[in-house]
Amino acid sequence: MAPSMISLAFFVLLIVGSANAQLSTNFYSSSCPKLSSTVKSTLQSAISKEARMGASILRLFFHDCFVNGCDGSILLDDTSSFTGEKNANPNRNSARGFDVIDNIKTAVESACPGVVSCADILAIAAADSIAILGGPTWNVKLGRRDAKTASQSAANTAIPAPSSSLSTLTSMFSAVGLSTKDLVALSGGHTIGQARCTNFRARIYNETNIDTSFATTRKSSCPSTSGSGDNNLAPLDLQTPTSFDNNYFKNLVNKKGLLHSDQQLFNGGSTNSIVSGYSTNPSSFSSDFAAAMIKMGDIKPLTGSNGEIRKNCRKTN
C-alpha cells in the first residue's frame, strides 16, 4: 500500500474511532481541571435558594436522555429550522432549571472556554443534585457532545407519561436499553420534586388503589374540574420532598404514590418485589439508582467528531 493510502486509512480509522469514542470519568481532567468544583458551587447556590431545583435538574437530564440520547437537545430553544423539545407535551409548563444550566455554563466557560459540552454539564448537574440532597454519589462518565438539532415530535413520543401502565413503562425503558430494575430504581427519583395537579387529578379522584386519607389531602389543593388549579403543585414524596431517600417506595407500599405511573410499580405486578426490597433496604436502592443513572447517561451520546461544543446551551453555534 502506498504511503498516502496508509495515512488515509489511518485518518479514516481515526475519524471512525473518535466518532465511536467511549465516555470516560476523566475526560476533562487536563482540559478543564476545575470543572467539578465549578459546577457544584453554582448548583449548590441554586439549590440553597430553592431545594426543588435539584429535582428539576434531574428531570431535565432524564427527559434529555430519553429523546435521541443524552445530547443536550432539551436545552435548545426553537429556531426557524426546527421546533425543539421545550414545548413538547411532557415539558411544556413543567420542564425548568434552564437558567441554572445557563449559569453553570457561563461559569464553566470562564474557567475553560469552548471545552465542556452542555450535555455533560447537565449530566454532572443531575448527579450533583442527587448528592446535594443526600443521595448517592458516583463518578459521572463524560465526553458527550451537543446535538445541533432537537425534535418536539420525538419528545412527545419517547418520554413516559404519568398516566402510563406498567407494561408501557417497561417497554419505553426497554426501548432505550434500560431494564425493569432500572425503571424502578430511576422512578425512585420521585423521592424529590413536585407534580402538577393536572398529572395526578385522575388518580386521586378515580382510582381505588390509593390510601383514602392521602387522596383527601391531595384533593384539597387539586380541584376535580379540569382547567381549575391545573398547575397547583404537590410533593411526589409526601414525607421528605427535598431529601433523597427511600420514602418514595414506602409510600408505594402504603398506596400513597402520587402519579398513576408511580403506583403502577406496586400494584400486584412484576415490580412489586423490587419496590418492597427498596422500601426496606435504602442502600440497595442507592446503589441500584447510581448504576441506573450511569446506564441512562450512556444512551446514544454524540462523541468524537459528532455534534459540537455549544457556546450557549440554548442555541447551536
Side-chain angles (χ1 to χ4, degrees):
M1 192 184 290
S4 60
M5 290 295 287
I6 293 171
S7 58
L8 180 64
F10 178 74
F11 179 69
V12 169
L13 186 66
L14 201 66
I15 293 293
V16 173
S18 67
N20 296 320
Q22 294 298 302
L23 304 181
S24 68
T25 55
N26 61 355
F27 190 83
Y28 298 108
S29 55
S30 58
S31 59
C32 193
K34 292 183 178 171
L35 175 59
S36 179
S37 57
T38 304
V39 174
K40 194 150 201 173
S41 63
T42 310
L43 184 66
Q44 180 75 66
S45 89
I47 292 176
S48 299
K49 289 193 190 91
E50 185 197 20
R52 181 190 173 202
M53 188 53 70
S56 300
I57 298 294
L58 173 61
R59 186 167 181 258
L60 278 186
F61 182 58
F62 168 54
H63 284 204
D64 185 35
C65 292
F66 263 64
V67 182
N68 297 323
C70 312
D71 60 1
S73 58
I74 195 171
L75 305 173
L76 290 171
D77 290 335
D78 294 353
T79 70
S80 55
S81 58
F82 65 79
T83 305
E85 298 162 28
K86 289 184 177 180
N87 288 306
N89 293 330
N91 298 327
R92 189 173 57 249
N93 297 327
S94 67
R96 60 197 297 278
F98 297 108
D99 50 339
V100 174
I101 298 300
D102 289 339
N103 292 343
I104 296 171
K105 176 66 170 172
T106 300
V108 169
E109 283 298 302
S110 66
C112 30
V115 172
V116 184
S117 68
C118 297
D120 275 346
I121 284 172
L122 184 52
I124 300 167
D128 282 351
S129 293
I130 303 303
I132 290 167
L133 295 175
T137 59
W138 61 93
N139 291 323
V140 179
K141 290 161 71 172
L142 302 166
R144 300 169 192 82
R145 288 166 64 86
D146 295 321
K148 297 179 183 178
T149 188
S151 169
Q152 186 175 100
S153 59
N156 279 330
T157 56
I159 298 170
S163 56
S164 300
S165 66
L166 180 57
S167 61
T168 297
L169 292 168
T170 306
S171 65
M172 291 182 84
F173 273 69
S174 176
V176 291
L178 296 171
S179 69
T180 302
K181 186 167 80 167
D182 296 328
L183 158 65
V184 179
L186 290 169
S187 296
H190 285 176
T191 177
I192 53 175
Q194 310 267 328
R196 295 183 301 142
C197 165
T198 187
N199 286 327
F200 60 83
R201 177 182 282 124
R203 168 143 172 80
I204 61 173
Y205 285 100
N206 305 335
E207 297 187 9
T208 53
N209 61 340
I210 188 168
D211 177 89
T212 49
S213 66
F214 171 65
T216 302
T217 302
R218 289 284 74 98
K219 286 174 183 175
S220 66
S221 61
C222 182
S224 59
T225 311
S226 182
S228 175
D230 282 4
N231 292 323
N232 292 357
L233 298 172
L236 287 156
D237 167 10
L238 76 163
Q239 298 186 71
T240 51
T242 58
S243 295
F244 198 94
D245 53 34
N246 71 329
N247 281 335
Y248 167 82
F249 297 104
K250 295 178 184 176
N251 296 337
L252 296 186
V253 170
N254 292 316
K255 298 185 180 176
K256 293 179 182 179
L258 183 61
L259 304 178
H260 175 82
S261 56
D262 289 327
Q263 197 60 54
Q264 281 286 294
L265 302 178
F266 192 84
N267 194 39
S270 60
T271 50
N272 266 37
S273 58
I274 308 174
V275 170
S276 297
Y278 290 160
S279 74
T280 57
N281 190 338
S283 63
S284 77
F285 162 54
S286 287
S287 59
D288 286 355
F289 180 83
M293 283 290 287
I294 293 167
K295 209 166 152 187
M296 185 170 76
D298 278 340
I299 300 172
K300 291 199 302 188
L302 297 170
T303 57
S305 55
N306 294 320
E308 64 181 10
I309 305 297
R310 271 182 231 146
K311 295 181 178 71
N312 175 339
C313 291
R314 292 173 181 264
K315 57 185 190 185
T316 59
N317 292 345

